[in-house]
Amino acid sequence: LSRPPVIPMVFGAAPSLTGLEAAGVVSSWFGVLGDYRSMRFPVSVGTLPTGNVVLIAENANALPPGLNLPGAEAPTVAVRTNPVDPYGKVLIVTGADADQTLAAAQALATGWPGLQGPTATITDLQLPAKSNPDDAPRWREPDSSGRVPLWTGPAEALQGDGSAPMVAYYKIPPDLFFRDTQQNIKLHLDYRYNSVPIGPISSMQVESNDAYLGSVPLIPGKEPSRQASVNLAIPVVNLRPFSNSMRFRLTFQQLRSGNCNDTIPANLVGAILRSSYIDLGGLPHWAAMPNLELFSNAGFPFTRYADLSETAVVLPDQPSPQEIETYLTMMGHFGAETGYPAIRVTVAGPDALRAGAEEDFLVITTGQSNGAVGKLAAGMPVTFAENSLKVQDTRGFFATFHNMWWKIPTSDQLSSGEIGTTGVPDALMEEIESPYASGRTVVLIDMKSAATFEPMMKAFMESSQSSAVSGTVALLQGTRFESYRIGNNVYHVGVLPWWTALGLWFMQVPWMVDLVVLAISFVFAVWIRGWLRAKARRRLLVVEG
């Protein structure tokens, strides 16, 4: 498909928060099905468009009569012909109330076994257990030996004759922590090829994210199928934080026969075996935040729990269709990256932002329509003001001293105050640590106006797997994002082993090593002094006796 699939989402009436949760569950389910195909979910209320649509109805008695679905007294999923388009279908998710509608959505997304025929009434729904951190099905978590399978798809996808490269795509947990001293990780390749008709300089070129790793010789032989193994080093700098690719190019040299005639290469073929793996053993889950690239690529930290059980999406009290579509599109994006529907996502109003809140918050708004922006304004580096962009430093008392160096950019991710933009951007995305709970995250998606919604969604979907959205703040200028790092506040999501944490702490404050050595030396000296005095006392007692 050259354009993102479009799945219209229709609400029978103005949706409640629970109804919005049901719609988010369904959108994330479509995202799982769509995988790498980004999806759009245009929203309408009370009116069925033509084509195939999804209808979220919190009151089955209020359904249009043309759908021929009597009032439901239980969670219900049904498929009907679209009353306004005989060539379209309507997927109906409904119930007697909003809670039943949510249950119907959860049954659809989790594959409830009774989903058969044109109408299914949900009974005895048992949801899967709550997700654990980093257990998303599409994230390649290392096994007990630290190995991550390179490829789990069909075997024929990594088989070829050299006419085109073979590509394996894999996603690693975005919060894996690579130590500064770790330069490479091991790639173990098991491969098979026909060695009979090839020449002596046949080889296989291996690339990681388009970066050359090495050349593996394909040694000629007399076997029609020769299997071999090799270990290569993947530099950590050539790894992306989430979605990665490996490319294999087979180069077969045609074997020369008598009179320098080429043999017929009818059976030149090679394959990467599914026993190949990447060694990620011993890497803890510990991500430095804020990092919008992890959000853009993988929906992290919200997708750390694949069912979004610890995520709250904060919408305005009366969200617009554009704001709802932004929310639904994000749910589809999260489902695509995790391979699991967001069956436990919470949708809330601005009142959810309160002291003691233990969720990660995704705040969606247009300008100042969401009261949550006012609550967060003190901690947000950038906010929309009246026809302008307000930039504030979040480093507190020492900001004045840091500001002396604002004119000296040190990287592409510029420091606070270095917003190099002209005019007011069309939209912004920014990430901060939640002011309500340590280690929790707030991501704000703010569109300048309803007119900027379409370019924002298009730009995000086109750049979500790149580094265009990164740092602390990403501003949409026209058709592209410009990213900045503002302030130097850093927090972490995940858990480090205590010995690793201790080593990192000593690296950050190396002068503490001297103090610890001095303290240990003092304790040791006191113990030695006491031991020597006791020994001298025993010797004197022997002499006196």
Side-chain angles (χ1 to χ4, degrees), residues 242-307:
F242 178 57
S243 183
N244 292 267
S245 66
M246 296 294 303
R247 191 183 304 271
F248 307 94
R249 303 177 187 271
L250 295 172
T251 303
F252 290 111
Q253 181 201 23
Q254 296 180 1
L255 184 64
R256 303 287 182 177
S257 62
N259 298 322
C260 296
N261 294 321
D262 291 337
T263 57
I264 301 175
N267 56 350
L268 295 179
V269 65
I272 304 298
L273 304 184
R274 295 177 66 168
S275 56
S276 301
Y277 64 86
I278 296 171
D279 189 355
L280 295 177
L283 296 178
H285 293 274
W286 199 64
M289 308 289 280
N291 188 347
L292 279 173
E293 185 174 2
L294 299 186
F295 169 78
S296 173
N297 290 177
F300 190 86
F302 307 108
T303 52
R304 182 169 181 252
Y305 294 85
D307 59 1

